[in-house]
Amino acid sequence: MKTDNQRAWFLVLPVLVLVAFSAVIPLMTVVNYSVQDTFGNNQFFWAGLEWFKTQLESERMWDALWRQLAFSGIILAIEVPLGVFVALNMPKKGVWASVVLVLMSLPLLIPWNVVGTIWQIFGRSDIGLLGYTLDSLGIDYNYTQGFYAAWVTVIAMDVWHWTSLVALLAYAGLQSIPDAYYQAARIDQASRWAVFRYIELPKMRGVLTIAILLRFMDSFKIYTEPFVLTGGGPGNSTTFLSIDLVKMALGQFDLGPAAAFSLMYFLVIMVISYVFYIVMTNLDKEDGK
Amino acid sequence: MSDQTATAPGAADHLPGDVTARDANAKAKSSSRLNGSTVVLVLYLLFLMLPIYWLLNMSLKTNSEILGGFSLWPQNLTLANYETILTDPTWYMGYVNSLIYVVMNTVISITVALPAAYAFSRYNFMGDKHLFFWLLTNRMAPPAVFALPFFQLYSSVGLFDTHIAVALAHSLFNVPLAVWILEGFMRGVPKEIDETAYIDGYSFGGFFVKIFMPLIASGIGVTAFFCFMFSWVELLLSRTLTSVDAKPIAATMTRTVGAAGVDWGVLAAAGVLTIVPGALVIFFVRNYIAKGFALGRV
């Protein structure tokens, strides 16, 4: 049991100060911009909720949002089943298990811009293995020109990059199942599917929820990998929310609209974080029992 | 591969001997499934390794060979691309800069997160749950939202293009991460240890450094690894906050691309070198990777 102790505040004070400096001050700047307009010369005047209205009516933002949701939906639909499938086929112990763990984790530790570079090279039809192979098979594939080619490459890249995370989490869930469960299932002559459906899946429920939420959040703010690979193109076809926001804020310096955009973006993230938090604390409670 | 089939005969061994028929059946089934598993795994690992292999392949070729023809491995193996990077200051200083701010960030994050995580794992205090949630939202915050305000904030306090600016900016997501992971490890240490130490006359500081920290040493190591990693892989903020003096390797790579054509060989070599730090320590944290990514909650 935890004890009540208000002096614990002193222990969290450094974190509070540091994170406040790097989160609250910048966020207030954003709030400040979102309600003001400027004609340059550092002269600002009150614009109220004007920018929020403009943004909510802007087709550009909605397009980016739909693209973002489509992207997150597609990668979840591929990565979660694939990750579970891989986890079910991973060895439980031994040297081979360590080797598999190390190799699988490797893509997770590669800098995000290098992930983009790797796929940029891999997919090029003149020098890349993937692009060259597809080209020799007679498939017209060019991720900088074709809409579908760009999407397929961006999705393949994300699946390559992050499926291992889902697999590792699912694997951690599988490891916690006592052997006795499987023995009981064998005595009952349960089918492979029944073992999965009634033993493994319920035991993985917690970790899978974490995996889905993490992948959703992280894919929702994806920037570097598609930026390096396609730069948001061809046209705007792979311009996701973050890419659009950076274009607006740092490229065109449209501070007001960008700030309003940021705040709405952040609000969505807050809501998902809250779901994540509730799931986490519930899991902690189950552990405590 | 014959090795794995021999070492993992399935759980059929646990059954008593009188069900031999079913046992044999199960054994046959499990070995065929095992082969299926091996195939699935080998295919998946192949999918993961091919693009990395291709990067390595490119990095060992000359540009004329890369553009001249297609080959599955380097015909004239060369280390010239690596030489270019390791002898040119504009290249290798990128690695040095990245390492400096990453190490700074790791030290800062762990130092402030240790006491905070202890407070969260041991005490109830006013607003603790709100604070814990607020930290989480910062881990989840999109860097794109913060890029412009960070740029202005650090420019106005004269920290633009310094290592400490990037280290502080990255603590936005790394401090919450460290607090969450450390709290997950600390929760596993029984409270009786704290109480016994206080009865034995330890002060809080003495207990924390001499007794508690050694107990969660592996947790601190894992946290340090994840802080290092998330700071190492980030590009958007580190690129926005630097121009020359603290320019990270990631930015060096993107800026070199596009200037008078792309130097594919050097680009690939630079990419391979950024994978090395993670690959070196991955073996030690292999059992904690899931835990670290899930913020200490698996």
Side-chain angles (χ1 to χ4, degrees), chain A residues 249-274:
Chain A
L250 293 171
Q252 305 158 347
F253 239 66
D254 285 338
L255 297 183
F261 186 162
S262 295
L263 286 181
M264 290 186 281
Y265 193 4
F266 199 65
L267 209 64
V268 176
I269 297 280
M270 286 268 281
V271 172
I272 310 164
S273 295
Y274 189 68

mmCIF file of all heavy atoms in Angstrom, chain A residues 249-274:
data_model
loop_
_atom_site.group_PDB
_atom_site.id
_atom_site.type_symbol
_atom_site.label_atom_id
_atom_site.label_comp_id
_atom_site.label_asym_id
_atom_site.label_seq_id
_atom_site.Cartn_x
_atom_site.Cartn_y
_atom_site.Cartn_z
ATOM 1 N N ALA A 249 3.900 25.665 -40.661
ATOM 2 C CA ALA A 249 4.517 26.473 -39.613
ATOM 3 C C ALA A 249 5.931 26.921 -39.980
ATOM 4 O O ALA A 249 6.275 28.087 -39.826
ATOM 5 C CB ALA A 249 4.558 25.689 -38.301
ATOM 6 N N LEU A 250 6.767 25.990 -40.455
ATOM 7 C CA LEU A 250 8.162 26.343 -40.704
ATOM 8 C C LEU A 250 8.415 26.690 -42.159
ATOM 9 O O LEU A 250 9.347 27.406 -42.475
ATOM 10 C CB LEU A 250 9.088 25.206 -40.268
ATOM 11 C CG LEU A 250 9.124 24.937 -38.763
ATOM 12 C CD1 LEU A 250 9.893 23.664 -38.465
ATOM 13 C CD2 LEU A 250 9.732 26.103 -38.011
ATOM 14 N N GLY A 251 7.566 26.153 -43.060
ATOM 15 C CA GLY A 251 7.758 26.429 -44.475
ATOM 16 C C GLY A 251 7.136 27.756 -44.877
ATOM 17 O O GLY A 251 7.806 28.644 -45.378
ATOM 18 N N GLN A 252 5.826 27.886 -44.612
ATOM 19 C CA GLN A 252 5.129 29.102 -45.057
ATOM 20 C C GLN A 252 5.036 30.148 -43.954
ATOM 21 O O GLN A 252 4.628 31.270 -44.185
ATOM 22 C CB GLN A 252 3.716 28.731 -45.519
ATOM 23 C CG GLN A 252 3.707 27.663 -46.592
ATOM 24 C CD GLN A 252 2.385 26.935 -46.665
ATOM 25 O OE1 GLN A 252 1.545 27.050 -45.771
ATOM 26 N NE2 GLN A 252 2.188 26.172 -47.720
ATOM 27 N N PHE A 253 5.390 29.752 -42.721
ATOM 28 C CA PHE A 253 5.328 30.651 -41.582
ATOM 29 C C PHE A 253 3.942 31.231 -41.352
ATOM 30 O O PHE A 253 3.784 32.383 -40.936
ATOM 31 C CB PHE A 253 6.368 31.767 -41.723
ATOM 32 C CG PHE A 253 7.315 31.775 -40.568
ATOM 33 C CD1 PHE A 253 8.197 30.727 -40.361
ATOM 34 C CD2 PHE A 253 7.308 32.821 -39.657
ATOM 35 C CE1 PHE A 253 9.055 30.717 -39.277
ATOM 36 C CE2 PHE A 253 8.171 32.807 -38.566
ATOM 37 C CZ PHE A 253 9.047 31.759 -38.377
ATOM 38 N N ASP A 254 2.899 30.436 -41.635
ATOM 39 C CA ASP A 254 1.530 30.844 -41.322
ATOM 40 C C ASP A 254 1.267 30.532 -39.856
ATOM 41 O O ASP A 254 0.687 29.517 -39.519
ATOM 42 C CB ASP A 254 0.539 30.065 -42.192
ATOM 43 C CG ASP A 254 0.530 30.575 -43.607
ATOM 44 O OD1 ASP A 254 0.931 31.737 -43.808
ATOM 45 O OD2 ASP A 254 0.116 29.819 -44.487
ATOM 46 N N LEU A 255 1.709 31.443 -38.976
ATOM 47 C CA LEU A 255 1.709 31.114 -37.558
ATOM 48 C C LEU A 255 0.316 30.880 -37.001
ATOM 49 O O LEU A 255 0.073 29.899 -36.301
ATOM 50 C CB LEU A 255 2.396 32.226 -36.769
ATOM 51 C CG LEU A 255 3.859 32.412 -37.129
ATOM 52 C CD1 LEU A 255 4.476 33.480 -36.250
ATOM 53 C CD2 LEU A 255 4.621 31.111 -36.959
ATOM 54 N N GLY A 256 -0.625 31.765 -37.318
ATOM 55 C CA GLY A 256 -1.968 31.645 -36.740
ATOM 56 C C GLY A 256 -2.627 30.324 -37.080
ATOM 57 O O GLY A 256 -2.972 29.546 -36.192
ATOM 58 N N PRO A 257 -2.801 30.044 -38.378
ATOM 59 C CA PRO A 257 -3.446 28.778 -38.752
ATOM 60 C C PRO A 257 -2.684 27.564 -38.234
ATOM 61 O O PRO A 257 -3.299 26.620 -37.733
ATOM 62 C CB PRO A 257 -3.403 28.800 -40.284
ATOM 63 C CG PRO A 257 -3.203 30.201 -40.665
ATOM 64 C CD PRO A 257 -2.492 30.874 -39.542
ATOM 65 N N ALA A 258 -1.350 27.625 -38.294
ATOM 66 C CA ALA A 258 -0.560 26.488 -37.827
ATOM 67 C C ALA A 258 -0.788 26.260 -36.340
ATOM 68 O O ALA A 258 -0.903 25.121 -35.880
ATOM 69 C CB ALA A 258 0.915 26.722 -38.108
ATOM 70 N N ALA A 259 -0.865 27.352 -35.583
ATOM 71 C CA ALA A 259 -1.058 27.221 -34.138
ATOM 72 C C ALA A 259 -2.429 26.626 -33.829
ATOM 73 O O ALA A 259 -2.563 25.748 -32.968
ATOM 74 C CB ALA A 259 -0.907 28.580 -33.472
ATOM 75 N N ALA A 260 -3.451 27.108 -34.552
ATOM 76 C CA ALA A 260 -4.793 26.566 -34.330
ATOM 77 C C ALA A 260 -4.822 25.077 -34.674
ATOM 78 O O ALA A 260 -5.382 24.250 -33.942
ATOM 79 C CB ALA A 260 -5.805 27.331 -35.181
ATOM 80 N N PHE A 261 -4.186 24.733 -35.764
ATOM 81 C CA PHE A 261 -4.043 23.347 -36.214
ATOM 82 C C PHE A 261 -3.367 22.529 -35.106
ATOM 83 O O PHE A 261 -3.869 21.483 -34.661
ATOM 84 C CB PHE A 261 -3.193 23.365 -37.489
ATOM 85 C CG PHE A 261 -3.032 22.051 -38.208
ATOM 86 C CD1 PHE A 261 -2.618 22.043 -39.536
ATOM 87 C CD2 PHE A 261 -3.265 20.839 -37.588
ATOM 88 C CE1 PHE A 261 -2.444 20.858 -40.220
ATOM 89 C CE2 PHE A 261 -3.085 19.639 -38.260
ATOM 90 C CZ PHE A 261 -2.672 19.665 -39.571
ATOM 91 N N SER A 262 -2.245 23.054 -34.582
ATOM 92 C CA SER A 262 -1.495 22.368 -33.531
ATOM 93 C C SER A 262 -2.368 22.042 -32.334
ATOM 94 O O SER A 262 -2.334 20.939 -31.801
ATOM 95 C CB SER A 262 -0.352 23.245 -33.026
ATOM 96 O OG SER A 262 0.579 23.458 -34.018
ATOM 97 N N LEU A 263 -3.141 23.035 -31.904
ATOM 98 C CA LEU A 263 -3.928 22.831 -30.689
ATOM 99 C C LEU A 263 -4.975 21.751 -30.890
ATOM 100 O O LEU A 263 -5.204 20.918 -30.013
ATOM 101 C CB LEU A 263 -4.583 24.143 -30.261
ATOM 102 C CG LEU A 263 -3.599 25.134 -29.640
ATOM 103 C CD1 LEU A 263 -4.309 26.400 -29.228
ATOM 104 C CD2 LEU A 263 -2.889 24.516 -28.442
ATOM 105 N N MET A 264 -5.595 21.744 -32.065
ATOM 106 C CA MET A 264 -6.618 20.716 -32.312
ATOM 107 C C MET A 264 -5.978 19.331 -32.403
ATOM 108 O O MET A 264 -6.507 18.348 -31.897
ATOM 109 C CB MET A 264 -7.391 21.054 -33.583
ATOM 110 C CG MET A 264 -8.280 22.280 -33.378
ATOM 111 S SD MET A 264 -9.350 22.632 -34.773
ATOM 112 C CE MET A 264 -8.245 23.422 -35.890
ATOM 113 N N TYR A 265 -4.823 19.301 -33.027
ATOM 114 C CA TYR A 265 -4.031 18.072 -33.146
ATOM 115 C C TYR A 265 -3.704 17.549 -31.744
ATOM 116 O O TYR A 265 -3.905 16.374 -31.420
ATOM 117 C CB TYR A 265 -2.756 18.441 -33.894
ATOM 118 C CG TYR A 265 -1.873 17.328 -34.430
ATOM 119 C CD1 TYR A 265 -2.214 16.000 -34.337
ATOM 120 C CD2 TYR A 265 -0.680 17.659 -35.057
ATOM 121 C CE1 TYR A 265 -1.370 15.019 -34.848
ATOM 122 C CE2 TYR A 265 0.163 16.699 -35.571
ATOM 123 C CZ TYR A 265 -0.185 15.376 -35.447
ATOM 124 O OH TYR A 265 0.653 14.427 -35.962
ATOM 125 N N PHE A 266 -3.238 18.453 -30.906
ATOM 126 C CA PHE A 266 -2.842 18.096 -29.555
ATOM 127 C C PHE A 266 -4.029 17.583 -28.745
ATOM 128 O O PHE A 266 -3.911 16.658 -27.947
ATOM 129 C CB PHE A 266 -2.220 19.315 -28.871
ATOM 130 C CG PHE A 266 -1.385 18.959 -27.683
ATOM 131 C CD1 PHE A 266 -0.220 18.225 -27.845
ATOM 132 C CD2 PHE A 266 -1.752 19.351 -26.415
ATOM 133 C CE1 PHE A 266 0.555 17.889 -26.752
ATOM 134 C CE2 PHE A 266 -0.976 19.017 -25.317
ATOM 135 C CZ PHE A 266 0.177 18.288 -25.484
ATOM 136 N N LEU A 267 -5.178 18.186 -28.991
ATOM 137 C CA LEU A 267 -6.392 17.782 -28.272
ATOM 138 C C LEU A 267 -6.728 16.317 -28.562
ATOM 139 O O LEU A 267 -7.050 15.544 -27.659
ATOM 140 C CB LEU A 267 -7.552 18.679 -28.708
ATOM 141 C CG LEU A 267 -8.638 18.891 -27.667
ATOM 142 C CD1 LEU A 267 -8.066 19.620 -26.465
ATOM 143 C CD2 LEU A 267 -9.788 19.665 -28.264
ATOM 144 N N VAL A 268 -6.624 15.943 -29.838
ATOM 145 C CA VAL A 268 -6.889 14.551 -30.216
ATOM 146 C C VAL A 268 -5.927 13.626 -29.486
ATOM 147 O O VAL A 268 -6.315 12.602 -28.910
ATOM 148 C CB VAL A 268 -6.742 14.380 -31.750
ATOM 149 C CG1 VAL A 268 -6.906 12.921 -32.140
ATOM 150 C CG2 VAL A 268 -7.745 15.249 -32.471
ATOM 151 N N ILE A 269 -4.645 14.019 -29.483
ATOM 152 C CA ILE A 269 -3.615 13.218 -28.808
ATOM 153 C C ILE A 269 -3.939 13.076 -27.319
ATOM 154 O O ILE A 269 -3.803 11.997 -26.739
ATOM 155 C CB ILE A 269 -2.238 13.882 -28.995
ATOM 156 C CG1 ILE A 269 -1.847 13.924 -30.468
ATOM 157 C CG2 ILE A 269 -1.181 13.186 -28.153
ATOM 158 C CD1 ILE A 269 -1.291 12.660 -31.020
ATOM 159 N N MET A 270 -4.397 14.171 -26.704
ATOM 160 C CA MET A 270 -4.756 14.138 -25.279
ATOM 161 C C MET A 270 -5.833 13.102 -25.013
ATOM 162 O O MET A 270 -5.752 12.340 -24.049
ATOM 163 C CB MET A 270 -5.280 15.505 -24.843
ATOM 164 C CG MET A 270 -4.237 16.553 -24.701
ATOM 165 S SD MET A 270 -3.608 16.622 -23.041
ATOM 166 C CE MET A 270 -4.927 17.527 -22.246
ATOM 167 N N VAL A 271 -6.852 13.093 -25.868
ATOM 168 C CA VAL A 271 -7.964 12.166 -25.667
ATOM 169 C C VAL A 271 -7.460 10.724 -25.739
ATOM 170 O O VAL A 271 -7.780 9.897 -24.882
ATOM 171 C CB VAL A 271 -9.070 12.422 -26.721
ATOM 172 C CG1 VAL A 271 -10.128 11.341 -26.645
ATOM 173 C CG2 VAL A 271 -9.687 13.791 -26.516
ATOM 174 N N ILE A 272 -6.615 10.441 -26.752
ATOM 175 C CA ILE A 272 -6.116 9.069 -26.877
ATOM 176 C C ILE A 272 -5.200 8.732 -25.703
ATOM 177 O O ILE A 272 -5.226 7.624 -25.184
ATOM 178 C CB ILE A 272 -5.383 8.868 -28.210
ATOM 179 C CG1 ILE A 272 -6.238 9.368 -29.360
ATOM 180 C CG2 ILE A 272 -5.067 7.405 -28.437
ATOM 181 C CD1 ILE A 272 -5.468 9.562 -30.631
ATOM 182 N N SER A 273 -4.398 9.711 -25.269
ATOM 183 C CA SER A 273 -3.548 9.487 -24.102
ATOM 184 C C SER A 273 -4.390 9.099 -22.900
ATOM 185 O O SER A 273 -3.998 8.249 -22.098
ATOM 186 C CB SER A 273 -2.773 10.753 -23.736
ATOM 187 O OG SER A 273 -1.884 11.094 -24.722
ATOM 188 N N TYR A 274 -5.551 9.745 -22.764
ATOM 189 C CA TYR A 274 -6.399 9.461 -21.621
ATOM 190 C C TYR A 274 -6.869 8.011 -21.649
ATOM 191 O O TYR A 274 -6.820 7.313 -20.634
ATOM 192 C CB TYR A 274 -7.585 10.424 -21.592
ATOM 193 C CG TYR A 274 -8.357 10.308 -20.309
ATOM 194 C CD1 TYR A 274 -7.784 10.711 -19.108
ATOM 195 C CD2 TYR A 274 -9.637 9.764 -20.277
ATOM 196 C CE1 TYR A 274 -8.457 10.584 -17.915
ATOM 197 C CE2 TYR A 274 -10.322 9.632 -19.090
ATOM 198 C CZ TYR A 274 -9.735 10.044 -17.913
ATOM 199 O OH TYR A 274 -10.398 9.902 -16.736
#
